[in-house]
Amino acid sequence: MRTLLFLLLTFTVFQSLSAQTGGEGIFNFLQLTCSAKTAALGGTQIALPDADPELLLQNPALLSIEMDHTISVNYAKYLAGIGFGYGTYARNLGKYGMAAIGVQFVDYGQFVAADENGLITGTFSASDYALTLSYAKKIGNLFTVGANLKPVYSHLENYKSFGIAGDVGVFRLSEDKLTSFALCVKNVGKQLTTYYEGGEREKIVWSLQIGYTHRLQYAPIRLSVTAYELNNWSPEVANTDPEVPATASKNISPASAVMRHLSLGAEIFPENKVTFRVGYNYRRHADLMVADQSGMAGFTTGLGIKLAAFHLNYALSGYYQSGIVHNFSLTANLAQLK
């Protein structure tokens, strides 16, 4: 009952803090998947019961005592030369719970600067950063609650903006350790300063998510599904057909509407040290399909390897026919290294 009351209170508070229902907004880099493990499982999974700090941006309630003295770094080479990543370190606070500190970033690269007449004047850069402060506390034997606080800094040429965002999550692992459930409210916050004086403050897009993971008892297989953006249900989506005006929209079927909110993944553990992963994101597949040629859009795969104190994870995500994103993660337990 105490956990149920916590969930209701959390959702009520977050609803009052943020009235928007999704769509375009500012600081969208906060929605990037900074985890090779998650990227290989469809891009969004909030109920993975693994002792890996790279999962904390998915759900802060996943922060567990098994992550004590563990450091994780992640990097992805995104499309158009953009790179992004995340690094974090977790520490056990004893009876006070678990804490972690990290940095999320995205580097948009170098751009050519020109004046209003098209005369090239040099180059400029653009980047976004978020400091992540994570905390989690176990309640009883099965439940864990957690939160992320994320001060945000955005730099676009000579323009700068600051903001603040946060996540709150709940995680439950069954007594037999085979099934896990999670609920998370992500990226609720506001822009504190605008890029230029007198500018209008923009909204930060937030997401309500529910996750489920189950490992088969007699087979080395684990299945995961996360429902995301449950706070934003729309009967229409932007049209992607190049022969139709870009401003047009199209109605979607009820089945398609549901699938657009699901991220699906499966893992196979043929050995304790090797994990094979596959995933599917229907929304990415449907939105990036061009002239009925979707290629790898929406499909993901990856590999995990355990080497003593090190865990290596790799993911390959398809975005369009020739657009592949590679994501790498390295996790190390510093106590075991010592």
Side-chain angles (χ1 to χ4, degrees), residues 255-330:
S256 179
V258 172
M259 287 298 298
R260 295 179 71 87
H261 291 266
L262 297 180
S263 178
L264 310 175
E267 298 170 276
I268 302 176
F269 311 88
E271 299 180 11
N272 291 331
K273 294 185 177 181
V274 180
T275 302
F276 298 97
R277 303 184 177 99
V278 294
Y280 179 66
N281 188 301
Y282 175 83
R283 176 181 295 188
R284 188 184 302 167
H285 175 84
D287 288 350
L288 299 181
M289 182 172 60
V290 178
D292 297 324
Q293 296 181 3
S294 59
M296 286 281 295
F299 293 93
T300 61
T301 186
L303 178 69
I305 300 175
K306 294 182 180 181
L307 300 172
F310 294 96
H311 290 182
L312 302 173
N313 290 300
Y314 165 75
L316 183 151
S317 305
Y319 281 80
Y320 56 93
Q321 195 162 10
S322 59
I324 301 297
V325 173
H326 303 275
N327 196 309
F328 303 87
S329 293
L330 171 63

Side-chain angles (χ1 to χ4, degrees), residues 163-223:
I164 188 75
D167 313 322
V168 173
V170 177
F171 173 75
R172 182 188 187 277
L173 182 63
S174 63
E175 294 184 2
D176 59 12
K177 312 242 183 245
L178 296 177
T179 305
S180 56
F181 299 90
L183 182 147
C184 192
V185 184
K186 298 172 63 173
N187 298 325
V188 171
K190 64 184 300 183
Q191 184 183 24
L192 300 178
T193 63
T194 59
Y195 287 101
Y196 56 92
E197 187 176 354
E200 183 178 351
R201 285 189 173 89
E202 301 177 68
K203 63 185 179 181
I204 299 177
V205 178
W206 66 282
S207 176
L208 173 64
Q209 303 179 357
I210 298 176
Y212 169 81
T213 296
H214 178 71
R215 179 168 181 172
L216 303 185
Q217 186 173 3
Y218 301 108
I221 298 175
R222 185 168 68 179
L223 305 176

Side-chain angles (χ1 to χ4, degrees), residues 38-62:
T38 305
L41 295 172
T44 303
Q45 297 295 346
I46 66 169
L48 298 176
D50 297 340
D52 200 333
E54 73 172 86
L55 300 173
L56 298 185
L57 287 183
Q58 291 290 308
N59 184 357
L62 297 177

Side-chain angles (χ1 to χ4, degrees), residues 3-337:
T3 301
L4 178 60
L5 292 175
F6 174 85
L7 294 179
L8 294 175
L9 177 62
T10 298
F11 184 64
T12 301
V13 171
F14 272 72
Q15 282 279 51
S16 63
L17 288 176
S18 180
Q20 71 270 12
T21 58
E24 296 183 356
I26 200 171
F27 306 142
N28 286 330
F29 78 101
L30 296 174
Q31 303 177 37
L32 292 173
T33 303
C34 293
S35 162
K37 183 177 297 184
T38 305
L41 295 172
T44 303
Q45 297 295 346
I46 66 169
L48 298 176
D50 297 340
D52 200 333
E54 73 172 86
L55 300 173
L56 298 185
L57 287 183
Q58 291 290 308
N59 184 357
L62 297 177
L63 183 58
S64 64
I65 193 172
E66 290 80 11
M67 299 183 193
D68 185 31
H69 286 293
T70 300
I71 188 170
S72 179
V73 292
N74 174 274
Y75 182 77
K77 194 65 175 178
Y78 203 53
L79 308 174
I82 299 172
F84 65 88
Y86 172 61
T88 187
Y89 171 72
R91 186 67 186 269
N92 182 15
L93 302 180
K95 65 179 181 179
Y96 300 105
M98 289 289 300
I101 183 170
V103 175
Q104 181 183 0
F105 73 91
V106 56
D107 179 11
Y108 300 102
Q110 293 290 319
F111 299 86
V112 176
D115 60 19
E116 63 273 15
N117 298 316
L119 180 64
I120 296 177
T121 59
T123 61
F124 66 92
S125 62
S127 56
D128 291 326
Y129 300 90
L131 176 68
T132 61
L133 305 173
S134 306
Y135 175 80
K137 176 74 173 177
K138 196 165 186 179
I139 300 178
N141 296 324
L142 303 177
F143 286 92
T144 302
V145 296
N148 287 329
L149 180 65
K150 299 182 287 191
V152 180
Y153 168 70
S154 180
H155 165 252
L156 307 175
E157 205 252 346
N158 289 324
Y159 303 94
K160 302 176 178 63
S161 177
F162 292 89
I164 188 75
D167 313 322
V168 173
V170 177
F171 173 75
R172 182 188 187 277
L173 182 63
S174 63
E175 294 184 2
D176 59 12
K177 312 242 183 245
L178 296 177
T179 305
S180 56
F181 299 90
L183 182 147
C184 192
V185 184
K186 298 172 63 173
N187 298 325
V188 171
K190 64 184 300 183
Q191 184 183 24
L192 300 178
T193 63
T194 59
Y195 287 101
Y196 56 92
E197 187 176 354
E200 183 178 351
R201 285 189 173 89
E202 301 177 68
K203 63 185 179 181
I204 299 177
V205 178
W206 66 282
S207 176
L208 173 64
Q209 303 179 357
I210 298 176
Y212 169 81
T213 296
H214 178 71
R215 179 168 181 172
L216 303 185
Q217 186 173 3
Y218 301 108
I221 298 175
R222 185 168 68 179
L223 305 176
S224 300
V225 58
T226 291
Y228 59 94
E229 290 190 19
L230 297 179
N231 55 301
N232 180 24
W233 291 83
S234 175
E236 296 183 343
V237 297
N239 180 73
T240 57
D241 189 335
E243 297 182 359
V244 178
T247 56
S249 60
K250 58 182 180 180
N251 292 318
I252 57 178
S253 66
S256 179
V258 172
M259 287 298 298
R260 295 179 71 87
H261 291 266
L262 297 180
S263 178
L264 310 175
E267 298 170 276
I268 302 176
F269 311 88
E271 299 180 11
N272 291 331
K273 294 185 177 181
V274 180
T275 302
F276 298 97
R277 303 184 177 99
V278 294
Y280 179 66
N281 188 301
Y282 175 83
R283 176 181 295 188
R284 188 184 302 167
H285 175 84
D287 288 350
L288 299 181
M289 182 172 60
V290 178
D292 297 324
Q293 296 181 3
S294 59
M296 286 281 295
F299 293 93
T300 61
T301 186
L303 178 69
I305 300 175
K306 294 182 180 181
L307 300 172
F310 294 96
H311 290 182
L312 302 173
N313 290 300
Y314 165 75
L316 183 151
S317 305
Y319 281 80
Y320 56 93
Q321 195 162 10
S322 59
I324 301 297
V325 173
H326 303 275
N327 196 309
F328 303 87
S329 293
L330 171 63
T331 299
N333 188 302
L334 302 183
Q336 291 183 18
L337 290 177

